[in-house]
Amino acid sequence: MVKVLVKWQGQKYEVDTDTAPTGEDFKAILFSLTGVSPERQKVLVKGGQLKDDTDMAKLGLQENQTLMMIGSVGELPKAPAQPIKFVEDMSENEVAQALSIPAGLTNLGNTCYMNATLQCLKAIPELKSALDENASGMGQTDARANLVSSMKNLFKQLNESGEGVPPFVFLQFLRQVYPRFAEQDSQHGGYRQQDAEEFWNEMLTTLDQVLKKKDSSESTVVERHMSGRMVTTWECAEAPDEPPTVRQEMFRKLNCHIDKS
């Protein structure tokens, strides 16, 4: 067992070479003693500078022989800008944001049709970009524009909150633009059940109208990402030389008829 002394910045450190068979291992031990990372170390031995693949047993080191190390400690890690907060110390809202748990929408009385559809619309990144580009705010004379602006604000609330968000403002504008969603249930009281598909269609129509740029032929986000194009071609079997008749139709709903039999 050969122990050597490594001198660095006026201090000497004892290292057992039997626990460091290679130069790389030797530097790792010095790192633990001095804090100088191996890539910043220059250990001077007989024949030059110690290399990572050097066999320490072949250096002929003597007991208590002194080696010289040159190198400086790198910049110490900086404390985080914000103190570390553990999950058990967080509020429910903070936990939801840290774990990226999406917030829900509060049911305001038979509004599940609206809440579910809004969550689907919120999941469309192209729609989010289009809403962000729409600079108009609420308080406009056009109730449809107010409805779209309230949707934009509602999506922002959902992104910033980890708790349930009540969509009061959006629902108010929705019932103003489309009074059918404000119909009352005469038998049981409260608002009537509504159809999610009808709400989806009305919202796509509103988004298409409000987000369309004035004096621009550019298609809207609804046309590009939430619509389809049906192409129908008619050909005359008796006159194959006649050019076919092609008709294109836009659609936002693709019906799927399933035969019960």
Side-chain angles (χ1 to χ4, degrees):
M1 179 183 296
V2 177
K3 293 184 179 180
V4 297
L5 300 176
V6 179
K7 187 176 181 180
W8 176 73
Q9 291 191 351
Q11 297 187 14
K12 291 184 178 181
Y13 299 90
E14 187 179 87
V15 180
D16 182 359
T17 57
D18 287 353
T19 60
T22 67
E24 184 178 11
D25 299 324
F26 191 80
K27 290 180 180 180
I29 294 176
L30 291 179
F31 173 53
S32 66
L33 295 173
T34 64
V36 180
S37 58
E39 62 271 13
R40 300 173 69 93
Q41 295 177 18
K42 290 184 179 180
V43 181
L44 304 180
V45 296
K46 184 179 179 180
Q49 184 177 323
L50 182 66
K51 297 180 179 180
D52 290 345
D53 58 353
T54 300
D55 186 349
M56 299 298 293
K58 295 181 179 180
L59 291 178
L61 298 173
Q62 303 295 321
E63 186 74 17
N64 294 327
Q65 180 177 342
T66 300
L67 304 178
M68 181 72 69
M69 185 184 80
I70 301 173
S72 59
V73 179
E75 184 179 358
L76 296 176
K78 295 181 180 180
Q82 297 182 351
I84 297 175
K85 201 169 188 179
F86 296 96
V87 173
E88 54 267 23
D89 300 325
M90 295 181 180
S91 64
E92 291 185 3
N93 191 19
E94 290 174 328
V95 171
Q97 290 186 5
L99 300 180
S100 299
I101 299 175
L105 290 166
T106 305
N107 193 322
L108 302 179
N110 286 339
T111 59
C112 51
Y113 71 94
M114 179 188 74
N115 293 355
T117 306
L118 284 172
Q119 293 284 19
C120 290
L121 290 169
K122 180 179 178 294
I124 304 173
E126 292 82 5
L127 175 59
K128 178 183 180 303
S129 299
L131 290 173
D132 291 340
E133 293 174 2
N134 182 35
S136 59
M138 289 185 291
Q140 302 180 66
T141 56
D142 187 351
R144 298 171 304 168
N146 291 330
L147 178 62
V148 173
S149 295
S150 66
M151 173 187 283
K152 174 183 177 179
N153 294 340
L154 180 60
F155 287 174
K156 182 179 179 181
Q157 286 181 275
L158 288 171
N159 289 331
E160 296 175 350
S161 175
E163 302 174 351
V165 177
F168 288 116
V169 177
F170 178 85
L171 182 59
Q172 179 181 353
F173 282 119
L174 173 68
R175 289 171 174 167
Q176 181 181 347
V177 177
Y178 300 107
R180 77 166 66 92
F181 295 111
E183 294 177 352
Q184 298 280 334
D185 190 330
S186 58
Q187 294 184 350
H188 303 92
Y191 291 99
R192 294 181 56 184
Q193 294 277 359
Q194 298 291 341
D195 186 68
E197 181 187 350
E198 291 183 7
F199 173 66
W200 171 271
N201 290 332
E202 298 292 14
M203 283 310 307
L204 291 193
T205 299
T206 302
L207 289 168
D208 189 51
Q209 294 170 344
V210 174
L211 297 179
K212 189 174 184 61
K213 297 179 181 179
K214 295 181 179 180
D215 302 325
S216 174
S217 59
E218 182 182 354
S219 60
T220 65
V221 63
V222 174
E223 293 172 334
R224 293 193 304 271
H225 301 286
M226 288 176 277
S227 302
R229 187 184 302 274
M230 181 74 71
V231 180
T232 306
T233 304
W234 286 277
E235 295 180 347
C236 181
E238 298 177 355
D241 295 334
E242 291 185 6
T245 301
V246 180
R247 180 182 178 185
Q248 297 187 17
E249 294 179 289
M250 296 291 295
F251 66 89
R252 295 176 185 162
K253 179 177 66 173
L254 185 61
N255 293 322
C256 182
H257 300 286
I258 301 176
D259 189 351
K260 295 182 179 180
S261 62

